[in-house]
Short mmCIF file of all heavy atoms in Angstrom, two decimals:
data_model
loop_
_atom_site.label_atom_id
_atom_site.label_comp_id
_atom_site.label_asym_id
_atom_site.label_seq_id
_atom_site.Cartn_x
_atom_site.Cartn_y
_atom_site.Cartn_z
N LEU A 53 -4.36 9.80 8.81
CA LEU A 53 -5.60 9.49 9.26
C LEU A 53 -6.23 10.47 10.20
O LEU A 53 -7.37 10.85 10.24
CB LEU A 53 -5.50 8.09 9.96
CG LEU A 53 -5.18 6.86 9.04
CD1 LEU A 53 -5.05 5.62 9.81
CD2 LEU A 53 -6.42 6.67 8.02
N GLU A 54 -5.24 11.12 11.01
CA GLU A 54 -5.59 12.29 11.87
C GLU A 54 -6.13 13.41 11.07
O GLU A 54 -7.22 14.00 11.33
CB GLU A 54 -4.50 12.65 12.71
CG GLU A 54 -4.14 11.70 13.80
CD GLU A 54 -2.88 12.07 14.57
OE1 GLU A 54 -2.24 13.09 14.24
OE2 GLU A 54 -2.39 11.27 15.48
N GLY A 55 -5.40 13.71 9.98
CA GLY A 55 -5.76 14.86 9.21
C GLY A 55 -7.15 14.67 8.50
O GLY A 55 -8.05 15.58 8.41
N ARG A 56 -7.35 13.43 8.03
CA ARG A 56 -8.62 13.06 7.39
C ARG A 56 -9.76 13.20 8.34
O ARG A 56 -10.87 13.61 8.04
CB ARG A 56 -8.56 11.66 6.72
CG ARG A 56 -9.71 11.32 5.91
CD ARG A 56 -9.43 10.20 4.89
NE ARG A 56 -9.43 8.98 5.65
CZ ARG A 56 -9.08 7.81 5.08
NH1 ARG A 56 -8.92 7.76 3.80
NH2 ARG A 56 -8.96 6.70 5.81
N ALA A 57 -9.51 12.58 9.61
CA ALA A 57 -10.54 12.71 10.62
C ALA A 57 -10.90 14.13 11.01
O ALA A 57 -12.15 14.43 11.14
CB ALA A 57 -10.08 11.94 11.87
N ARG A 58 -10.02 15.04 10.96
CA ARG A 58 -10.25 16.41 11.29
C ARG A 58 -10.99 17.04 10.21
O ARG A 58 -11.76 17.93 10.43
CB ARG A 58 -8.96 17.15 11.51
CG ARG A 58 -8.16 16.88 12.78
CD ARG A 58 -7.01 17.59 12.99
NE ARG A 58 -6.25 17.20 13.94
CZ ARG A 58 -5.07 17.65 14.26
NH1 ARG A 58 -4.44 18.51 13.60
NH2 ARG A 58 -4.40 17.14 15.38
N LEU A 59 -10.90 16.57 8.96
CA LEU A 59 -11.63 17.02 7.86
C LEU A 59 -13.11 16.91 8.05
O LEU A 59 -14.02 17.66 7.64
CB LEU A 59 -11.12 16.45 6.52
CG LEU A 59 -11.63 17.10 5.25
CD1 LEU A 59 -11.16 18.51 5.14
CD2 LEU A 59 -11.02 16.19 4.11
N GLY A 60 -13.61 15.76 8.72
CA GLY A 60 -14.87 15.59 9.08
C GLY A 60 -15.79 15.09 7.91
O GLY A 60 -17.01 15.22 8.06
N THR A 61 -15.18 14.63 6.82
CA THR A 61 -16.04 14.06 5.66
C THR A 61 -16.01 12.54 5.59
O THR A 61 -15.04 11.88 6.26
CB THR A 61 -15.54 14.72 4.43
OG1 THR A 61 -14.36 14.31 4.17
CG2 THR A 61 -15.77 16.11 4.32
N SER A 62 -16.75 12.01 4.92
CA SER A 62 -16.81 10.53 4.76
C SER A 62 -15.53 10.02 4.02
O SER A 62 -15.00 10.77 3.27
CB SER A 62 -17.93 10.08 3.98
OG SER A 62 -17.95 10.41 2.67
N LYS A 63 -15.17 8.90 4.31
CA LYS A 63 -13.91 8.33 3.59
C LYS A 63 -14.06 8.38 2.12
O LYS A 63 -13.02 8.70 1.40
CB LYS A 63 -13.64 6.76 3.99
CG LYS A 63 -12.83 6.65 5.15
CD LYS A 63 -12.79 5.15 5.53
CE LYS A 63 -11.37 4.62 5.47
NZ LYS A 63 -11.43 3.17 5.86
N SER A 64 -15.16 8.24 1.58
CA SER A 64 -15.33 8.20 0.04
C SER A 64 -15.14 9.54 -0.45
O SER A 64 -14.79 9.62 -1.64
CB SER A 64 -16.70 7.66 -0.23
OG SER A 64 -17.71 8.46 0.21
N ALA A 65 -15.26 10.57 0.25
CA ALA A 65 -15.10 11.89 -0.38
C ALA A 65 -13.71 12.45 -0.04
O ALA A 65 -13.47 13.67 -0.41
CB ALA A 65 -16.11 12.76 0.30
N THR A 66 -12.80 11.77 0.42
CA THR A 66 -11.52 12.30 0.76
C THR A 66 -10.41 11.51 0.10
O THR A 66 -10.63 10.44 -0.68
CB THR A 66 -11.28 12.18 2.33
OG1 THR A 66 -11.24 10.85 2.69
CG2 THR A 66 -12.29 12.94 3.09
N GLY A 67 -9.22 11.98 0.26
CA GLY A 67 -8.06 11.29 -0.34
C GLY A 67 -7.91 9.86 0.33
O GLY A 67 -8.56 9.69 1.35
N LYS A 68 -7.18 9.11 -0.28
CA LYS A 68 -6.98 7.69 0.18
C LYS A 68 -5.53 7.41 0.61
O LYS A 68 -4.67 8.16 0.29
CB LYS A 68 -7.25 6.75 -1.01
CG LYS A 68 -8.61 6.83 -1.60
CD LYS A 68 -9.65 6.39 -0.65
CE LYS A 68 -11.03 6.38 -1.40
NZ LYS A 68 -12.12 6.67 -0.33
N LEU A 69 -5.48 6.43 1.38
CA LEU A 69 -4.17 5.84 1.83
C LEU A 69 -3.95 4.50 1.22
O LEU A 69 -4.53 3.59 1.52
CB LEU A 69 -4.18 5.64 3.42
CG LEU A 69 -2.97 5.49 4.17
CD1 LEU A 69 -1.93 6.60 3.95
CD2 LEU A 69 -3.24 5.33 5.64
N ILE A 70 -3.00 4.57 0.18
CA ILE A 70 -2.60 3.49 -0.67
C ILE A 70 -1.36 2.89 -0.25
O ILE A 70 -0.34 3.58 -0.50
CB ILE A 70 -2.83 3.84 -2.09
CG1 ILE A 70 -4.17 4.35 -2.55
CG2 ILE A 70 -2.39 2.54 -2.97
CD1 ILE A 70 -4.27 4.92 -3.90
N GLY A 71 -1.33 1.69 0.22
CA GLY A 71 0.06 1.10 0.53
C GLY A 71 0.43 0.13 -0.70
O GLY A 71 -0.33 -0.73 -1.05
N VAL A 72 1.58 0.25 -0.92
CA VAL A 72 2.23 -0.67 -1.98
C VAL A 72 3.23 -1.62 -1.23
O VAL A 72 4.35 -1.08 -0.76
CB VAL A 72 2.95 0.04 -3.07
CG1 VAL A 72 3.46 -0.86 -4.17
CG2 VAL A 72 1.96 1.03 -3.61
N VAL A 73 2.70 -2.83 -0.99
CA VAL A 73 3.31 -3.65 0.11
C VAL A 73 3.89 -4.90 -0.55
O VAL A 73 3.35 -5.81 -1.07
CB VAL A 73 2.35 -4.06 1.16
CG1 VAL A 73 3.05 -4.91 2.33
CG2 VAL A 73 1.56 -2.76 1.75
N PRO A 74 5.28 -5.08 -0.38
CA PRO A 74 5.93 -6.34 -0.86
C PRO A 74 5.50 -7.44 0.00
O PRO A 74 5.22 -7.30 1.19
CB PRO A 74 7.46 -6.12 -0.64
CG PRO A 74 7.57 -4.60 -0.56
CD PRO A 74 6.24 -3.98 0.10
#
Side-chain angles (χ1 to χ4, degrees):
L53 294 172
E54 289 174 1
R56 186 165 70 183
R58 289 181 188 172
L59 191 59
T61 59
S62 70
K63 267 175 119 174
S64 63
T66 63
K68 303 289 182 209
L69 192 56
I70 300 172
V72 183
V73 183

